[in-house]
Amino acid sequence: MTNERTVPLLPCASIDDIETFYGVLGFRTTYKQRKPNACVGVQREDLHLQFFEIAGFDPEQSYGSCLVLTADIEGLHRAFAAGMRAAYGKVLVAGTPRMTRPRARKNADGIGGFSVIDPGGNWIRVFRDATAPMPAATPAGRLAKALANAVVQADSRGSVGQAVRILDSALARQQADDDPVEQVEVLVYRAELAMVLHDPKTATEMLARAQSVTLTKDESERVAPAFDNAADLAAALR
């Protein structure tokens, strides 16, 4: 048999909240019912998701998750971010719901990905669709290695506290030969994690430290995506 299709069925506390949030991301509602069981289906192009409502459900305790494979993770992330900015005035980077940024995943053969954590606490994990992925490049500098390990903990496993400990340890041992680009990337990611932990003071401090790093023209070009993320974080802090 061919042309089968699998549609994830995920839990939530409110199908109305789910419908609104996914509408912001560009999904349309394909089905919705209240009785006998509250559920809703949403679709964005070939991406189909369905949700069922559980009274008293706690999104923070959710284990709901699914994978989305796409050839263009950056394009999908930009579309989701644009929807968030239009609806909320900013990209949601803390709390529930929120969205991470595309990053290479050390624990996924270096394939890039990002996650959407929706109002039901479900992790929609978006990965680049690669039939023959290249082996992950080994991070060269100590800060790059720390960042790669922190991304695994926070973006893949949801262990934000462990990721913070990894980055704080690396930042506390500043070395003369640290790559300035890696330093900015670590500081900006540490700021992002601070916001997830509802710690705006630390987030502000880390963003200021990132802005103070001296960079060459070439380094400024290489680190531009990190500063794009920093701009989203700064907007969320206002």
Side-chain angles (χ1 to χ4, degrees):
M1 296 178 65
T2 59
N3 301 318
E4 295 89 347
R5 184 176 67 187
T6 299
V7 178
L9 186 58
L10 301 167
C12 66
S14 166
I15 59 172
D16 293 331
D17 290 348
I18 286 288
E19 183 179 31
T20 298
F21 175 72
Y22 280 96
V24 165
L25 301 187
F27 287 73
R28 64 183 180 89
T29 301
T30 57
Y31 181 80
K32 188 177 184 180
Q33 72 172 34
R34 296 287 181 187
K35 295 180 179 180
N37 301 299
C39 60
V40 65
V42 296
Q43 177 184 352
R44 188 184 191 280
E45 298 180 349
D46 292 332
L47 177 51
H48 297 256
L49 299 169
Q50 293 192 14
F51 301 86
F52 59 96
E53 187 175 296
I54 301 176
F57 183 76
D58 181 3
E60 297 299 323
Q61 302 302 317
S62 177
Y63 286 90
S65 183
C66 75
L67 296 179
V68 174
L69 303 180
T70 176
D72 185 12
I73 60 170
E74 292 83 4
L76 190 58
H77 184 273
R78 284 195 299 270
F80 287 174
M84 288 183 177
R85 291 190 186 99
Y88 310 122
K90 60 185 178 182
V91 177
L92 303 181
V93 296
T96 303
R98 67 182 183 276
M99 180 171 68
T100 68
R101 290 184 67 85
R103 297 184 178 93
R105 302 291 177 85
K106 173 184 173 182
N107 58 334
D109 293 329
I111 297 175
F114 70 95
S115 296
V116 174
I117 298 86
D118 69 23
N122 303 294
W123 284 62
I124 312 303
R125 304 173 187 270
V126 182
F127 281 95
R128 191 180 309 281
D129 189 0
T131 55
M134 296 295 292
T138 301
R142 69 175 193 91
L143 291 177
K145 293 176 181 177
L147 180 61
N149 290 332
V151 168
V152 170
Q153 294 299 325
D155 285 15
S156 291
R157 299 175 181 168
S159 300
V160 178
Q162 180 60 28
V164 163
R165 286 187 284 274
I166 291 170
L167 296 186
D168 284 350
S169 176
L171 289 170
R173 296 180 288 108
Q174 188 171 348
Q175 298 179 10
D177 60 348
D178 283 339
D179 183 344
V181 172
E182 294 176 4
Q183 186 178 0
V184 171
E185 290 171 341
V186 167
L187 288 166
V188 173
Y189 189 48
R190 180 62 180 88
E192 181 177 328
L193 298 182
M195 295 189 66
V196 174
L197 295 174
H198 307 290
D199 182 3
K201 180 179 178 180
T202 297
T204 301
E205 175 191 342
M206 294 296 164
L207 292 178
R209 287 177 60 181
Q211 291 289 345
S212 70
V213 175
T214 301
L215 301 165
T216 65
K217 182 179 178 181
D218 176 68
E219 289 167 345
S220 296
E221 293 174 354
R222 288 166 51 205
V223 83
F227 280 125
D228 288 343
N229 186 21
D232 283 337
L233 297 174
L237 281 167
R238 292 196 287 269

